Structures are given as structure tokens and as C-alpha cells.
Amino acid sequence: KAGVTQTPRYLIKTRGQQVTLSCSPISGHRSVSWYQQTPGQGLQFLFEYFSETQRNKGNFPGRFSGRQFSNSRSEMNVSTLELGDSALYLCASSSNSIKEQYFGPGTRLTVT
Amino acid sequence: GQQVMQIPQYQHVQEGEDFTTYCNSSTTLSNIQWYKQRPGGHPVFLIQLVKSGEVKKQKRLTFQFGEAKKNSSLHITATQTTDVGTYFCAGVGGSGGYQKVTFGIGTKLQVIP
């Protein structure tokens, strides 16, 4: 079974731009969660989607948004990028919210 | 809301010494999961504990879930350099039909050869 894939793996953007990150979950998994990871901050939860519906949202500004498609693939969008948005963005898929999560390799976003 | 505290945040041990990381939740959990992230990698699922007082072992790793289902620990016996990484706990809990996952901040383990 193929693992979770994320594209792109690396991205460099300038302040004010927007970015879209993509995540393809493990086949059959309907839950996709997104996390932001920065040094010393652990895994900060962004949001979770299940069957195209956002079920939970973390404490991030409205510049961070996401969606999930009918094939369970998910995208995350960040508008008006700030320097502080530089981080590793991880996507994780699961068969449902209480089961173990399988993480993708992440997208390393650098904002200059 | 649900909060999961994890300590210590950093730990340096001599190879061969034991290591323990602890997680405490502000609310009762349905289950707790443990993950390991190697340097430069992504978190990888290790184990899930569901029952009150449950203890599970994976070779040199011992995982415990507290009786009240609010705390957990991961103990590594005789650490090796391959144990280097950050260990995260993730508490699963919530009311109604929806459960939420909350990660601890992680414990970064450094093993000195």
C-alpha cells in the first residue's frame, strides 16, 4: 500500500504571496489532518477533514484554509504569507479520527 | 479544551542508560498514541493504548497508560544510538460522536555514544 504523499516537498515564497500544498492519503483513508511543525513548537494542529467536511480546526488565522476532495485528497492554502509561516507542513491520514495517523514526508515552506 | 503536556522536552543520555518520557492530559482520554520522529523525518506511529492501566512492550520500549486514562509514559531500556529522535504522545478524546487528537510537544532524545 502506498504511503501518504505530499507535494511539493520544498517551496520558497516571498511575503504576501499565497501557497497551496497538496496531500494524497493512503488509499481507503477518509480522514486527513494538517499540522505545522516549527522548532520548539511541536506539532501544531491546523485542521482535520473527513469525507470532504472540516471536522475540527486549530487556532490558526483565517489565512490558513483547506479542503478535501471526493477522492480524499486534500489541499491546504495559506494566503498573504508571513515570515512566521516558514515551517514544515505535515499531512496525516487515518481511517478515522481515533485511529493511528500516517504522516507524509511534509512540505518545507520557506517564506523570505 | 483538551491539553496534553509532555515532559521532559529534551533529554540527553549516555548510550546504555534508560530513558522515560511522560504525558499528562487535562481530560480523560479514549486512547493515547505514541510516535517517533527521526531527525529530518516525519512522525511514525509506534503504538496505541486503549485500556486503563494497559502496558505494552516493543522490544526495549515499554508503554503504559494510567488507570485514570489521563497519563501515559514511554520507557526505553538501555538506549542505543538508533533511539535518537523526538517522541510524541497524542491523546485522543472528546465528547459526542467526534474525537479529537492532541499532540504533546514531544521529547527530543539525544543518545551519547
Side-chain angles (χ1 to χ4, degrees), chain A residues 37 48 56 98 100-101 104, chain B residues 35 37 42 45 48 98-99:
Chain A
Q37 187 173 39
E48 184 214 354
N56 196 19
I98 66 170
E100 65 271 19
Q101 297 185 67
Chain B
Y35 296 79
Q37 184 175 22
H42 56 273
F45 173 76
Q48 177 171 284
Y98 175 64
Q99 301 281 293

Side-chain angles (χ1 to χ4, degrees), chain A residues 1-4 25-29 95 102:
Chain A
K1 213 180 225 185
V4 178
I26 289 173
S27 177
H29 283 188
S95 56
Y102 294 87

Side-chain angles (χ1 to χ4, degrees), chain A residues 100, chain B residues 31-34 45-51 53-65 72-76:
Chain A
E100 65 271 19
Chain B
N31 70 65
I32 194 155
Q33 301 162 3
W34 286 91
F45 173 76
L46 292 176
I47 207 160
Q48 177 171 284
L49 305 172
V50 179
K51 299 176 185 174
E54 189 169 15
V55 177
K56 286 188 176 180
K57 293 192 175 185
Q58 287 181 351
K59 296 183 181 177
R60 294 178 294 103
L61 278 61
T62 301
F63 304 84
Q64 290 188 314
F65 201 9
S72 181
S73 65
L74 157 58
H75 179 83
I76 302 178

